[in-house]
Amino acid sequence: MSSKQSSLDELCVNTIRTLSIDAVQAAESGHPGMPMGMADAAYVLWTKFLKHDPSNPDWYNRDRFVLSAGHGSMLLYSLLHLTGYHLSLEELKNFRQWGSLTPGHPEYGLTPGVETTTGPLGQGFATGVGMAMAEKHLSAKFNTDNHQLTDHYTYGIVSDGDLMEGISQEAASLAGHLKLGKLIYLYDDNEISIDGSTDLAFTENVEKRFDAAQWHTIKVDGHDRQEVEQAIEKAQAETERPSLILCRTHIGFGSPNKQDSADSHGAPLGEEEVRKTKENLNWDPDAKFHIPDDALTHFRRAIEKGAEASEEWQDIFEQFREKNPHKAEAFTKAINRELPTDFEDILPTFEPDVKGMATRASSGKVLQSLTQKVPQMIGGSADLTGSNKTWIDDAGIFSASDYSGHNIHFGVREHAMGAALNGMALHKGVIPYGGTFLIFSDYCRPAIRIAALSHIPSVFVFTHDSIGLGEDGPTHQPIEHLASLRAMPNVLVLRPADANEVAWSWKAALNYKKGPSLIVLTRQNVPTFERKKENAAQNTTKGAYILSDSDKQQPDAILMGSGSEVYRAMEAKEKLAAKNVDARVVSMPSWELFREQDQAYQQKVLPKDVLARVSIEAAATQGWKEWVGTEGMTIGVDRFGASAPYEDIFREYGITSDRMAEETLKLLG
């Protein structure tokens, strides 16, 4: 390398460092140490390897970059501005301020070029694994020898904190097993965390750990740009294993008094230390947010390179479309997440049946019908495929030997599964879903929250939804889960009452774009209700509807519930009729969808003048007062479950039609 090029590289790297330093100092909060330490490695990646188009951030075949160490967000913001994304210098100056595009941690959908929301450590690591999985699947489905429509890498920067979090082990194990060779992570091995030196709590051999997980590992000096470049080249050449490049770095690089110190991790350097650091980096200590012309010119070459790459890909696609028109149409529909409009013809219809079936079973049947018309669907279960009914017949297994398969074996890795679903959805081209028991939504919760925050349309299938799972006992019986998940903004919770509601719940889930959808299903059988035009299962998509109405113009009482308890409300209606009480039964599969309906519809279903209202749900009663009102009664489970046949538990806990009828009579006086 010429001395001139070396000098320019140094100028560019220090531009990244000083922008990060100045932004954190201006905000009087933030994390300067990581951007200062990883500037060399990030510079090499972004200027020599990363395939991206700043003028078209959503170009499909771009390389994905995940800053899993999201606290170092100024590293990413600096790179985005310098390489020409629509992120102005003023936005960098407004780091962490109200209304800026530069929040404390990167947020997908807010800042151009940010591929995923990061900050909760380990989430980015596992989300990137999902992106790499989607890349493998789509390349296997659509690429031809002459036309590589999907051909990109997933890169990331991960930290000590990411690797300490358990989710990283789950995701690394899955990635190694699947031989995701186009997944390349740079590990910021600076040996410092918030509490101090990492050897306070983290002394494992990271290299051997990833070797054991079937990763390709390389150790480099993270400040030796040539070593980093050679390591990335070796990682690209390794096609059978994902790669971890262990970059030994110095946190707060260049700071005379805070380099290699936890003091530079999560706080500004301070005005005096900023001056000393800039002097140490041969920078004008009085210059703030300074970008040398030579550095900017060099970084902005990314615009021309990116445009050339995206135009070249467009030419490849046009050639592909000319030779494979039907396949090209399918590809376009996949990446645009186009869904059918004729769900009435696609979804199965289930005949009335007193015995019925478990809603997890009907969900499995619905899935078979859906996937015939929505081929983008891909998913599986956290080692509970038979229980969750998430298997797609005749669709193959997604594996290292056949990435075109649609059935994914996630293993007992709920944390990683949730984040991987998000990564696949963010990648686009697939509609991912994942299944486990509702109780283990706790393990998926961080990923569900990221999906909700970022408007990621991941689909979760949660079975064994209540004390109805019986003998496995309280450790497996969810109580508070529905209430807590309903409390999360942008999450669509669907708890269907019978097989036909299940079918339309799937339709609602696939069409929901504000965030993740959670389809909550029973282990035990529930009846399949008789349907007429006035109580058609299509009403499920409205969130709540009249399943069985009163004969009067206005009912004496309203009985409401969700899921497996709706048929108990139907039984209670019959018991009340014997006592000359004419009740309405309202099925409420989704509070969120019902809230979206206009007031006229809400008033039609739940007229305000009817104060005698009783809800029933085999879960915590929290939240039901919104629907029964202050004078209504809620029947539920506000204690942990028990191990016994489920019929016994329902009886002992008072989740019965008899009790519902009794409480209704009390309200009526």
Side-chain angles (χ1 to χ4, degrees), residues 124-157:
F125 186 110
T127 300
V129 171
M131 292 177 178
M133 291 169 67
E135 193 277 339
K136 285 291 191 185
H137 179 71
L138 290 160
S139 62
K141 293 285 286 188
F142 293 104
N143 286 2
T144 67
D145 290 340
N146 298 320
H147 304 98
Q148 302 293 302
L149 300 185
T150 305
D151 180 22
H152 64 79
Y153 290 92
T154 300
Y155 296 103
I157 290 178

Side-chain angles (χ1 to χ4, degrees), residues 459-479:
V459 179
F460 292 82
V461 180
F462 291 135
T463 69
H464 296 61
D465 66 348
S466 74
I467 55 174
L469 67 88
E471 290 87 347
D472 273 344
T475 61
H476 282 54
Q477 293 169 3
I479 301 299

